[in-house]
Amino acid sequence: MRDAGWFIDFPESARKFTWFFRRETGVSVDGVLTVSPRVITEILKLVGPVEMPAYKKTLTSDNFLAEVQSDVEYGDNNKKLNQPKKILTDFTPLFLSKLSSLDGAKWLDAVNIIMSSIERKDVLMYFKAPSLQDF
């Protein structure tokens, strides 16, 4: 499933991803959302560092991409568990918790980052429902 992004056409890749996901998990999804590392890096500037004690790392806007790439390629989860992107699975709830605790002014900044990221295509979305996809 992690290599399902075969097609230059994002909706086609997203459909293939949903097919793989359903086959691997038995769960059907209504859509796919992708976020580039640049978006996470920009939002980390707002929320601050995310402590990852199990990895003995603190992910910041300055080191996010390099640290995650290093862990994916060379980390223990890749070698021992064959779960190279586990760091992202573990990072996500911590990151979302910090994001949800932002005050009003910083929330507006986060929304602006997301909106400009959509315009730059650093955030891509695909939905099965035609009304959502058209939106």
Side-chain angles (χ1 to χ4, degrees):
M1 184 172 58
R2 70 179 182 199
D3 297 323
W6 299 330
F7 308 100
I8 196 164
D9 178 2
F10 176 73
E12 186 63 29
S13 289
R15 283 189 287 276
K16 184 58 75 175
F17 175 82
T18 61
W19 181 85
F20 275 116
F21 190 80
R22 187 172 21 87
R23 299 277 299 210
E24 289 183 22
T25 67
V27 176
S28 182
V29 296
D30 296 324
V32 175
L33 172 73
T34 65
V35 179
S36 79
R38 181 182 354 189
V39 178
I40 304 303
T41 298
E42 288 182 33
I43 293 176
L44 277 168
K45 290 176 186 174
L46 293 176
V47 302
V50 174
E51 299 290 331
M52 305 283 299
Y55 297 83
K56 298 180 179 137
K57 296 177 189 274
T58 300
L59 298 180
T60 69
S61 61
D62 293 326
N63 72 3
F64 175 76
L65 185 56
E67 289 290 340
V68 169
Q69 283 179 326
S70 175
D71 197 83
V72 166
E73 294 296 324
Y74 308 111
D76 288 341
N77 289 316
N78 190 7
K79 295 175 190 167
K80 294 177 185 172
L81 304 174
N82 195 26
Q83 295 179 342
K85 296 183 181 175
K86 186 169 181 349
I87 189 170
L88 292 172
T89 302
D90 295 340
F91 167 78
T92 300
L94 301 171
F95 175 74
L96 292 176
S97 175
K98 289 192 85 160
L99 181 60
S100 69
S101 68
L102 287 178
D103 65 25
K106 285 191 175 183
W107 254 112
L108 183 57
D109 292 339
V111 169
N112 286 333
I113 289 169
I114 293 166
M115 295 307 292
S116 65
S117 297
I118 291 170
E119 290 173 13
R120 282 193 319 262
K121 299 191 185 232
D122 282 333
V123 172
L124 296 173
M125 294 172 265
Y126 164 79
F127 299 99
K128 288 182 182 178
S131 60
L132 283 174
Q133 185 59 31
D134 289 344
F135 174 75

